[in-house]
Amino acid sequence: VSFPRGMTLGPQTGLVYVATLDSLLAFDHQGQLSFGIELTPFNNTSTGTRAAPSAFKVLVNSAETLAFVTESAPGAVEVVDLVNRIPTDLIPVGFNPGGMVLSPDESKLYVGTNESYIAVVGVSERAVIDSIATGTLSLNKLAVSTDGATLYAATAKPDNAHASGALVQILAINRETHTLIDSVQISDRSDLTGQVVELQADQVGASLLVSYSRTSPGEVGGLDVFTFVGDLMVLSLPTLTLSKTITIGEAAGGFGI
């Protein structure tokens, strides 16, 4: 697969859906390609050329009739009809959309962006019908509690006390009222960089898992050096307190439960 980026499991067929730069691919349990759907090319008005939409994340509804794909080039969510295997709608949502979650009744799609809000898409309307203000820059990573009541969003806000210039935190937001429930800082002031890669609540609702890549300063032989560190953070729910940090290597990536 060329440039795989997002992945999810089909709840009905067990197919593995993979978003690439320009396509949505479906693989069976033996790793064989079942089918592929070309996503809508991006029309670059500044160059007058067409380019790959740069698909990022993919989400499938429970009936496995629709797939939703975030695309960074057009700043949109593409809706794909999995029955007829064709793209049907392209919904602008904001700059660099990433993670998505569906409401329990699947009438609303919540989309993380690199803006100061979470976009709320009406699934039947095929349009943005609302937004949830985060009060600071969102990091386009989004998760939902197992009961569907709480959204979790990663954000960054300017902070001169941080060497990176930004304080990274996780917000807990009431999905219905859009009000802030709680927040927790996960960045360290000494880190030179920090990036949330993935968020996901466990199936029993006890923990929120966060993969986090950072650059940490150090010293070797009197010389200043920096180290790449990948952490898996475990936040206890519903209190949203950091209970454990597991260093897994030089970089942290996406994960599944």
Side-chain angles (χ1 to χ4, degrees):
V1 178
S2 178
F3 296 105
R5 304 184 80 191
M7 183 174 66
T8 194
L9 186 66
Q12 300 296 328
T13 64
L15 290 173
V16 177
Y17 293 91
V18 180
T20 72
L21 288 180
D22 59 4
S23 302
L24 177 63
L25 307 178
F27 295 88
D28 63 23
H29 67 283
Q30 294 180 327
Q32 299 299 310
L33 179 65
S34 179
F35 61 87
I37 302 169
E38 183 180 0
L39 300 172
T40 304
F42 170 62
N43 290 312
N44 191 324
T45 56
S46 58
T47 62
T49 60
R50 287 159 68 87
S54 297
F56 185 40
K57 293 287 188 179
V58 57
L59 180 67
V60 176
N61 68 348
S62 60
E64 207 170 329
T65 56
L66 295 175
F68 306 93
V69 183
T70 47
E71 299 174 356
S72 56
V77 172
E78 184 144 20
V79 183
V80 179
D81 179 344
L82 293 177
V83 177
N84 298 298
R85 299 179 181 176
I86 56 171
T88 61
D89 300 272
L90 195 64
I91 307 167
V93 293
F95 179 66
N96 198 26
M100 299 170 285
V101 297
L102 280 164
S103 60
D105 64 1
E106 300 193 344
S107 65
K108 295 176 182 178
L109 178 73
Y110 299 86
V111 186
T113 68
N114 271 152
E115 311 236 20
S116 59
Y117 62 84
I118 298 165
V120 184
V121 172
V123 173
S124 61
E125 294 91 341
R126 299 290 200 270
V128 174
I129 59 172
D130 204 350
S131 63
I132 302 174
T134 58
T136 186
L137 179 67
S138 296
L139 298 179
N140 82 9
K141 305 300 186 293
L142 202 60
V144 66
S145 59
T146 52
D147 62 4
T150 306
L151 295 173
Y152 301 103
T155 67
K157 65 179 181 180
D159 189 298
N160 292 331
H162 279 66
S164 65
L167 182 154
V168 180
Q169 58 186 347
I170 304 298
L171 307 182
I173 300 169
N174 184 293
R175 188 185 58 80
E176 290 286 353
T177 64
H178 299 182
T179 54
L180 180 66
I181 300 171
D182 206 347
S183 66
V184 61
Q185 176 182 327
I186 61 170
S187 57
D188 189 281
R189 290 185 176 186
S190 63
D191 287 339
L192 304 176
T193 63
Q195 180 185 9
V196 175
V197 183
E198 195 76 73
L199 296 176
Q200 193 169 343
D202 67 17
Q203 295 177 342
V204 297
S207 301
L208 179 72
L209 304 181
V210 183
S211 55
Y212 187 68
S213 288
R214 57 190 175 89
T215 307
S216 178
E219 182 179 312
V220 176
L223 298 175
D224 291 332
V225 297
F226 55 86
T227 304
F228 297 110
V229 182
D231 291 330
L232 181 64
M233 298 179 174
V234 182
L235 305 180
S236 297
L237 298 178
T239 56
L240 204 66
T241 54
L242 180 62
S243 60
K244 185 179 295 185
T245 299
I246 305 165
T247 299
I248 57 178
E250 292 187 349
F255 62 88
I257 298 176

